Amino acid sequence: MRKFVAAVLVLWAATVGQSAEPLVTAVEVRGAQRVEADLVLQTVTTRAGEPYDPQRLRADIRALFALGFFADVAVEREADGTVVFVVRERPALREWRLEGAQGVDKEDLDKAVLLKRREVLDGARVEAAAQAIRDLYREKGFYLAAVTSEVQAVPDDKNQVDVVFRVGEGEKVRVKSINLLGVEAADEADLRQYLAVSEAGFWSWLTDSGTFKEADLDRDREMIRAYYLNRGHVDIEVGEPLVSLTADRRWLKIDLPVREGAPHTLGAITFTGDLEFPEEKLRATAKLVEGELFRSEDFRKAHQLLADLYGDIGYAFAEIEPRTRVDPATRTVAVEYAIHKGELMRLGRIGVRGNTKTRDRIVRREMRLAEGDVFSGTGIRKSRRRIQNLGFFETVNLATNRRPGTDLVDVDIQVEEKPTGAFSVGAGYSSVDKIIGMAQVSQRNFLGLGYQLSAAANFGSAQETYNLTFNNPRVYDTEVYGGIDLYKALRGYSDYDKHSVGGALKFGTTWSEAWKSRWIYRYEVADVKNVDPAAAQLLLDQQGTTVTSSLTSLLLYDTRDNPWEPHDGAQAEGSVEWAGGLLGGDSAYLKYGLDASKYVPLWWNHVLTLHGRVGFVHRLADQAIPVYERYTLGGINTVRGFDSRSIGPRDGDDVIGGDKELLLNLEYLFPLVEEAKIRGVVFIDAGNAWAEGKPYLDTPLRRSMGAGVRWFSPMGPLRLEWGYVLDRKSGEEKSQWEFSIGGFF
């Protein structure tokens, strides 16, 4: 049939007067095993019924080679006009394996080698895989590692091969010395602490310090440049490093040439373009001062501050172009900020994505901007921080996108929720309460509406407490706060026991980003019992049942970046508690308190915390102040290293407490295991309490210092701390370990 069709085509061509150029009668593929013949026929342009064209065939051969599947392609023309593409496929990979590899994990090697089973193989891919293995070994410190490859045919008539990589690891090579050639003006010791490549030390076998990585060396060159630019050396040049092996091939020496140049100061600072603010305002915002040392960090901050200034009045896409002019003669850098404000933008649609449990409105109500408002960059950042501080989300991102052809900027709030509920049962040991057990059920986002609900029980040899708490931080989505606490407690002290049952109603409002107020009405029935007959008269007078009805007013200030793990900002609380009088009850007193903390961010996620607390309570209507409302210090929450309630006025051996207190804490916190939220702490504590009629500082502050570990565990904040008493008195311990574990609320 095929020959008949060919004859007809030839006869037709002759009949209509076509040229005698031969025609292609058919196109076939030969030699394909895994590659479909249809793929070849679709790739080539030679077709049956068209003239035989050698130039087109050459292009078809190039196209087939470009597919990457064939090691060879040829064309045969049969007598009947059939064109046959004869292909020889590249072999397919059956498997690859390593020989001699020990110093690198197989999982890391699997990630580095990108060869896949049954894929068509070529020499370039094999060499790329070998190079990836070499690079991985270099990264692990095997600088002399050699990798060779061998392709082995598999005798199965399926055109498959195995690839074997043979690794000669050699000895691990470490950095013996890093020579910073030309460093004079800088503090070399200070500069070196920013470098990723380090010299091997005594503990290198354990810490892996001294391992050489070429990528780290490239990073260090940029780090050195940044170091000098931030100190005014605008002409800094960091040359190509020279890396050499020692004669025994066990160590590397690195010579890194540095040309420091002279430090420069800031010259004239000018502003051009769309000046929406007086020049004095722009200068104050940029915080750059002529004559001061030119610092690249200050330069970048000024750019961002100016962009924020314009962004806060609606110019979301203002262009702030800094232009610098270096004057080598005067060693100054003149800075010109060319400002193009762009269009005034308003807020468009606000969307929420990623919240599987939390209601949209719970997220949206934290926004400091509403749809239609003039755009504000500061408002966007404050909104993100407020949403993050809810504690409901692992990550919070606010993406801003201009709606094409409009003056609207849409905000897409993207969140990733994290567990907010917890159920925990456990046991432990507290230095204050001895053996303790605990059980707690809590939910910080009850029903996805932001409600806080907690039920907890703690019991041990010295205490037994039960608490039920419900809080609504935003009643009807307003700034009004409401809550209720119910509790029952049995607490044993060294000189008396206190049994109490009570509750509290809480109300409040938010005045601004930083300021809040709270009012708490508390009603408690307390029974003091088991007082030694030989105890102080004040304790004997406290025996029996006392009803306390009190109202507390609080003013709260909070600028912390994260309430759960603060690194920056401040927190303060001023309070006045009034008991008795028109409120009824047996107790009558006024109690004043001020508690404040300041968090100072340092390098590498380290934090310095300063905390202070001062309190004063005085009696009303000549009613004695309840002993459990008096001030005593000592223990893990006040002055560490001292026994609980050991600091303060005594009557003989009995602790009676004072009507005044002062507490100071200085802490230095640093990460130990960042991923697990384990931190170390070093601290200094000082504090005391003074008796009625005695002034503050009538006796010196008691002092201690120490260190510890903190972990935000699944059962709550865990603390293990050791305190050393600096002014020990007769009968006091020199130091002690203290342990505690808290709840979520």
Side-chain angles (χ1 to χ4, degrees):
M1 182 65 183
R2 187 179 66 186
K3 292 182 179 180
F4 174 76
V5 172
V8 171
L9 290 172
V10 172
L11 180 61
W12 174 81
T15 302
V16 298
Q18 295 288 336
S19 68
E21 185 176 356
L23 299 178
V24 175
T25 58
V27 180
E28 296 181 354
V29 180
R30 188 182 304 153
Q33 292 178 293
R34 291 179 302 277
V35 179
E36 296 289 340
D38 286 347
L39 175 62
V40 176
L41 295 176
Q42 291 171 9
T43 302
V44 300
T45 59
T46 299
R47 298 286 184 267
E50 296 181 357
Y52 181 86
D53 186 349
Q55 186 173 351
R56 177 182 290 186
L57 287 171
R58 286 193 291 271
D60 288 343
I61 292 173
R62 289 194 296 270
L64 291 176
F65 270 119
L67 292 175
F69 298 145
F70 306 115
D72 190 21
V73 178
V75 176
E76 296 180 358
R77 181 185 176 196
E78 297 184 350
D80 61 359
T82 299
V83 172
V84 181
F85 288 92
V86 182
V87 297
R88 180 165 60 86
E89 293 181 350
R90 295 185 186 276
L93 178 67
R94 185 181 70 167
E95 66 175 16
W96 66 269
R97 61 182 182 272
L98 280 158
E99 294 180 359
Q102 296 178 344
V104 176
D105 293 338
K106 186 179 185 306
E107 183 178 346
D108 293 336
L109 288 164
D110 288 340
K111 292 178 181 178
V113 178
L114 301 180
L115 300 179
K116 305 298 180 185
R117 294 184 61 186
R118 293 186 293 276
E119 73 175 346
V120 175
L121 203 63
D122 61 35
R125 291 181 59 77
V126 173
E127 178 53 34
Q131 187 58 48
I133 297 172
R134 293 187 196 100
D135 293 342
L136 185 59
Y137 268 89
R138 283 200 169 200
E139 185 179 334
K140 300 296 183 181
F142 294 91
Y143 190 72
L144 302 176
V147 180
T148 59
S149 61
E150 180 185 354
V151 178
Q152 300 176 344
V154 178
D156 58 359
D157 297 327
K158 296 181 180 178
N159 194 20
Q160 295 189 102
V161 296
D162 293 341
V163 177
V164 181
F165 296 102
R166 295 186 175 89
V167 179
E169 293 182 339
E171 292 293 328
K172 215 170 192 180
V173 179
R174 298 189 184 275
V175 177
K176 186 178 184 65
S177 63
I178 303 173
N179 302 311
L180 301 178
L181 307 176
V183 172
E184 297 177 358
D187 181 345
E188 186 170 337
D190 182 44
L191 174 58
R192 284 177 179 270
Q193 70 175 340
Y194 295 98
L195 303 184
V197 178
S198 61
E199 297 173 351
F202 179 78
W203 296 104
S204 293
W205 62 275
L206 181 63
T207 64
D208 211 33
S209 64
T211 300
F212 176 71
K213 301 177 184 178
E214 288 180 290
D216 284 347
L217 189 56
D218 292 337
R219 170 195 172 278
D220 285 347
R221 293 180 64 198
E222 293 304 315
M223 185 61 67
I224 293 172
R225 275 183 46 79
Y227 179 91
Y228 276 96
L229 285 172
N230 205 38
R231 288 158 178 78
H233 296 264
V234 297
D235 298 326
I236 175 65
E237 293 181 7
V238 183
E240 289 289 336
L242 175 63
V243 181
S244 58
L245 273 169
T246 58
D248 58 8
R249 300 174 65 83
R250 293 180 59 241
W251 300 96
L252 287 175
K253 292 183 177 180
I254 301 174
D255 293 326
L256 195 56
V258 177
R259 192 182 72 81
E260 295 178 324
H264 287 56
T265 58
L266 279 165
I269 302 168
T270 57
F271 303 90
T272 60
D274 300 326
L275 305 185
E276 288 292 307
F277 302 92
E279 188 168 318
E280 294 75 15
K281 173 67 174 178
L282 295 172
R283 286 179 179 275
T285 299
K287 299 179 180 179
L288 297 177
V289 180
E290 296 176 11
E292 289 190 350
L293 189 68
F294 177 86
R295 290 167 47 88
S296 58
E297 183 178 343
D298 294 341
F299 183 64
R300 287 192 298 270
K301 285 181 179 178
H303 178 271
Q304 186 60 52
L305 290 170
L306 290 169
D308 290 345
L309 183 66
Y310 274 76
D312 285 347
I313 60 171
Y315 297 102
F317 303 103
E319 297 177 4
I320 314 294
E321 181 187 355
R323 301 168 181 171
T324 58
R325 187 175 66 257
V326 179
D327 186 341
T330 60
R331 295 180 181 175
T332 59
V333 181
V335 181
E336 175 193 348
Y337 286 100
I339 303 173
H340 176 62
K341 65 184 181 182
E343 292 185 60
L344 186 69
M345 308 301 293
R346 294 180 297 112
L347 212 63
R349 178 190 58 82
I350 299 175
V352 184
R353 294 194 299 130
N355 52 318
T356 57
K357 175 184 177 182
T358 306
R359 312 288 178 89
D360 278 13
R361 66 181 179 85
I362 304 303
V363 178
R364 290 169 64 92
R365 73 188 184 187
E366 299 301 323
M367 289 291 296
R368 298 297 90 187
L369 298 172
E371 293 173 348
D373 286 353
V374 173
F375 181 89
S376 168
T378 298
I380 292 293
R381 287 193 298 275
K382 286 182 178 179
S383 300
R384 182 194 174 281
R385 186 175 70 179
R386 287 177 63 91
I387 297 171
Q388 185 75 62
N389 287 352
L390 288 172
F392 304 160
F393 308 111
E394 197 71 48
T395 59
V396 176
N397 292 304
L398 270 66
T400 55
N401 303 290
R402 181 172 183 173
R403 196 180 300 177
T406 71
D407 64 347
L408 298 177
V409 177
D410 295 329
V411 177
D412 189 13
I413 306 172
Q414 304 172 28
V415 299
E416 179 187 349
E417 290 199 298
K418 65 180 180 181
T420 55
F423 171 74
S424 60
V425 177
Y429 179 84
S430 167
S431 54
V432 175
D433 301 311
K434 310 307 176 186
I435 298 176
I436 56 174
M438 61 200 74
Q440 182 181 50
V441 179
S442 64
Q443 176 55 258
R444 289 183 284 119
N445 189 14
F446 186 58
L447 301 178
L449 294 170
Y451 300 150
Q452 301 168 350
L453 181 64
S454 173
N458 292 271
F459 40 88
S461 57
Q463 69 156 326
E464 185 177 321
T465 62
Y466 304 92
N467 295 278
L468 179 65
T469 297
F470 174 80
N471 296 320
N472 183 357
R474 302 283 296 274
V475 178
Y476 297 118
D477 294 336
T478 67
E479 297 293 346
V480 176
Y481 166 92
I484 183 172
D485 292 337
L486 298 174
Y487 62 89
K488 180 181 179 181
L490 165 62
R491 187 65 190 256
Y493 297 101
S494 60
D495 29 29
Y496 68 91
D497 294 338
K498 178 193 175 188
H499 296 234
S500 59
V501 60
L505 294 174
K506 301 174 289 187
F507 302 94
T509 189
T510 298
W511 301 107
S512 69
E513 290 295 324
W515 293 95
K516 299 177 182 178
S517 59
R518 297 284 185 267
W519 295 271
I520 302 173
Y521 173 74
R522 178 172 66 97
Y523 187 87
E524 178 184 273
V525 179
D527 189 11
V528 174
K529 55 178 64 176
N530 298 330
V531 180
D532 192 314
Q537 188 61 44
L538 186 146
L539 295 180
L540 293 172
D541 293 342
Q542 294 287 317
Q543 290 186 97
T545 301
T546 301
V547 175
T548 299
S549 176
S550 72
L551 181 65
T552 301
S553 175
L554 299 101
L555 183 62
L556 309 175
Y557 174 80
D558 193 347
T559 60
R560 292 174 297 173
D561 59 339
N562 186 328
W564 313 101
E565 189 179 354
H567 291 77
D568 193 7
Q571 179 189 27
E573 175 184 305
S575 64
V576 178
E577 182 182 9
W578 172 40
L582 297 175
L583 298 173
D586 303 317
S587 301
Y589 59 83
L590 275 174
K591 194 172 191 177
Y592 307 90
L594 178 61
D595 191 297
S597 298
K598 173 65 177 176
Y599 303 90
V600 182
L602 303 175
W603 48 88
W604 303 318
N605 213 18
H606 294 206
V607 181
L608 184 68
T609 302
L610 299 91
H611 171 256
R613 189 176 80 197
V614 60
F616 174 62
V617 57
H618 71 87
R619 62 179 70 196
L620 296 176
D622 204 28
Q623 293 286 328
I625 302 169
V627 65
Y628 44 81
E629 297 293 348
R630 293 170 175 266
Y631 299 113
T632 61
L633 285 80
I636 194 169
N637 293 315
T638 56
V639 184
R640 288 155 283 194
F642 291 86
D643 289 332
S644 177
R645 300 177 66 245
S646 65
I647 300 175
R650 290 175 173 269
D651 187 341
D653 294 330
D654 297 321
V655 178
I656 60 173
D659 68 341
K660 291 173 285 294
E661 74 163 355
L662 177 62
L663 173 66
L664 301 171
N665 307 104
L666 176 64
E667 295 185 339
Y668 177 77
L669 293 102
F670 51 93
L672 292 176
V673 184
E674 192 79 52
E675 299 78 9
K677 296 185 178 180
I678 299 176
R679 298 195 294 174
V681 60
V682 178
F683 60 83
I684 298 175
D685 296 336
N688 210 336
W690 296 273
E692 292 182 80
K694 300 292 185 180
Y696 281 95
L697 302 178
D698 178 62
T699 53
L701 299 178
R702 304 302 309 276
R703 296 172 291 114
S704 68
M705 64 181 296
V709 177
R710 295 180 182 175
W711 174 37
F712 195 82
S713 74
M715 294 180 65
L718 183 149
R719 298 169 61 185
L720 176 63
E721 296 172 8
W722 172 80
Y724 179 81
V725 178
L726 296 174
D727 54 352
R728 185 170 68 95
K729 295 180 180 180
S730 177
E732 293 180 336
E733 296 291 334
K734 290 182 179 180
S735 64
Q736 63 177 315
W737 285 94
E738 298 180 281
F739 166 86
S740 74
I741 187 165
F744 287 94
F745 284 85

